[in-house]
Amino acid sequence: QVQLVESGGGLVQAGGSLRLSCAASGRTFSIYDMGWFRQAPGKEREFVGVVTWYSGYARAADSVKGRFTISRDNAKNTMYLQMNSLKPEDTGVYYCAAKTNTRLRTDRAAYDYWGQGTQVTVSS
């Protein structure tokens, strides 16, 4: 089992920045990828970005590329999502997730473990 806890959400004005953290515990050695997803009210949960746990190779969704950066610190068992130039459409609950397989990194169904989510609200 892997446990995930997100932190760092909050209210920010458009154009501002936030950094989310996701702390992993338990069988972290089994993690292959860790991802960020978000869900706006009335919408499906969507892929935001992913980082391969051991190599650190990261990829962001096209909708956030150039504004959001995904990284991880293996020593702290923590993944980060640095969000800059935030827009009102970035508002939603942000979830971190971990998977222990090599299935498609952008597919939320591929992820085995999920955090409880943290709210991000961007005001215009």
Side-chain angles (χ1 to χ4, degrees), residues 34-108:
M34 287 190 70
W36 287 102
F37 291 79
R38 67 185 181 186
Q39 188 165 19
K43 294 188 176 181
E44 290 191 354
R45 194 170 299 188
E46 65 171 354
F47 169 76
V48 174
V50 61
V51 62
T52 298
W53 193 238
Y54 286 101
S55 71
Y57 174 77
R59 171 189 170 186
D62 288 344
S63 59
V64 303
K65 197 171 292 183
R67 299 188 297 122
F68 291 12
T69 302
I70 302 97
S71 62
R72 93 298 182 236
D73 184 333
N74 282 5
K76 296 181 178 179
N77 284 334
T78 300
M79 174 178 65
Y80 302 98
L81 179 64
Q82 177 66 45
M83 305 185 291
N84 299 327
S85 302
L86 282 161
K87 305 175 182 180
E89 51 263 44
D90 294 318
T91 294
V93 178
Y94 282 68
Y95 297 90
C96 72
K99 66 183 186 69
T100 59
N101 57 72
T102 58
R103 291 166 59 192
L104 187 62
R105 304 166 84 201
T106 59
D107 182 3
R108 65 178 186 264

